[in-house]
Amino acid sequence: MFVKPAQGRSVRWPGTLRLLDAAGANVPETAFWLRAVSRGDVLVASPSTSTAQAQPQASVSEKLPEPEGKSA
């Protein structure tokens, strides 16, 4: 999903703690970003054509690892 920080808000990426760019970015639909949307810290937006080309999808390292299940 593509999000932008709300007016007057700064949001940091979990894990890296870098600031979310004011132009917005594609982020994974994790609990962190969904909570940020519900709190009003970020707004779900449509990327502009120049931003869409400059902002690739979130990398694999930014996604949460899958928990390992126990085999029976």
Side-chain angles (χ1 to χ4, degrees):
M1 83 179 148
F2 188 86
V3 297
K4 291 183 178 185
Q7 182 78 23
R9 305 273 178 111
S10 296
V11 180
R12 294 189 182 272
W13 284 80
T16 63
L17 301 181
R18 67 181 168 93
L19 287 174
L20 178 64
D21 188 37
N26 284 312
V27 298
E29 281 192 48
T30 61
F32 174 84
W33 292 109
L34 294 173
R35 278 194 311 270
V37 170
S38 70
R39 284 191 311 256
D41 293 335
V42 296
L43 305 171
V44 176
S46 297
S48 64
T49 53
S50 61
T51 305
Q53 293 170 356
Q55 297 287 336
Q57 288 284 353
S59 68
V60 175
S61 63
E62 293 171 346
K63 294 183 180 178
L64 296 175
E66 292 291 325
E68 294 182 16
K70 294 181 179 180
S71 58

